[in-house]
Every structure is written in structure tokens, then in C-alpha cells.
Amino acid sequence: MWSATNALRTQLGPRGTQVIGLLVGLIDTPMSARWDMPKVSTESVVAQAYDGVADGSIEVLADETTQYLKSRLGTKAEELYPWLDEQIAGFVP
């Protein structure tokens, strides 16, 4: 999704359209209630999104998990993907 958002920004920016990537893991909503994992509040995500629009951000990383994932994108695939698999496995009952 990062790449798709960047491509849209490149295409639409010259036309005056602001494209912001709002990236977030689990948000504390009724849909995520069954998972006992760290979640960010809806209020926090909305506030960060509005702040991003107001200050011209190109990206909002709305929770610690997403911030950490972004910091690891330069990691060798042999290290990154086993970690990602572990994270995803936490969602499967």
C-alpha cells in the first residue's frame, strides 16, 4: 500500500490533490474486540489524520506497530518475513 499511495501522490500531486497515506494496525473498534492485542483509539487515528492534512504530511503512521514496521522495511527479507509471519500468526485463533 505504501507503493500505491506514493504512485497516486506522484500522479495527483501536480493536479493539486494532496495524497496522504494513513497507516495503522489494529484500531479499537467493535470489529477488533475479539483480539487481545495492542490497539489505537479511533479518536487518536482521526486526530492524527486531521493533523496530517493540516500540516501537509505525506504519511501518517498512527500507531507504534506501524511505526516499527516502517522502521524495518530496510531489513533483509530473510529477517523481515519471518518476523512478519510471527506477527500475522498472532491474529489467527
Side-chain angles (χ1 to χ4, degrees):
M1 293 314 306
W2 271 300
S3 294
T5 302
N6 290 334
L8 282 172
R9 186 178 306 107
T10 299
Q11 291 297 310
L12 298 175
R15 299 178 187 163
T17 301
Q18 181 182 6
V19 176
I20 300 172
L22 175 60
L23 304 148
V24 63
L26 282 176
I27 302 172
D28 194 9
T29 66
M31 189 175 5
S32 68
R34 65 181 170 166
W35 287 297
D36 184 25
M37 302 178 80
K39 300 171 191 147
V40 64
S41 72
T42 54
E43 296 83 6
S44 175
V45 173
V46 170
Q48 290 180 71
Y50 280 132
D51 289 345
V53 170
D55 67 20
S57 294
I58 63 171
E59 187 170 82
V60 175
L61 306 176
D63 67 326
E64 289 182 18
T65 302
T66 305
Q67 293 164 8
Y68 182 65
L69 174 59
K70 176 73 183 248
S71 76
R72 296 210 50 192
L73 289 181
T75 304
K76 292 174 75 174
E78 293 81 7
E79 296 173 29
L80 179 62
Y81 288 103
W83 174 81
L84 279 174
D85 290 343
E86 182 181 312
Q87 299 305 304
I88 292 168
F91 290 102
V92 180

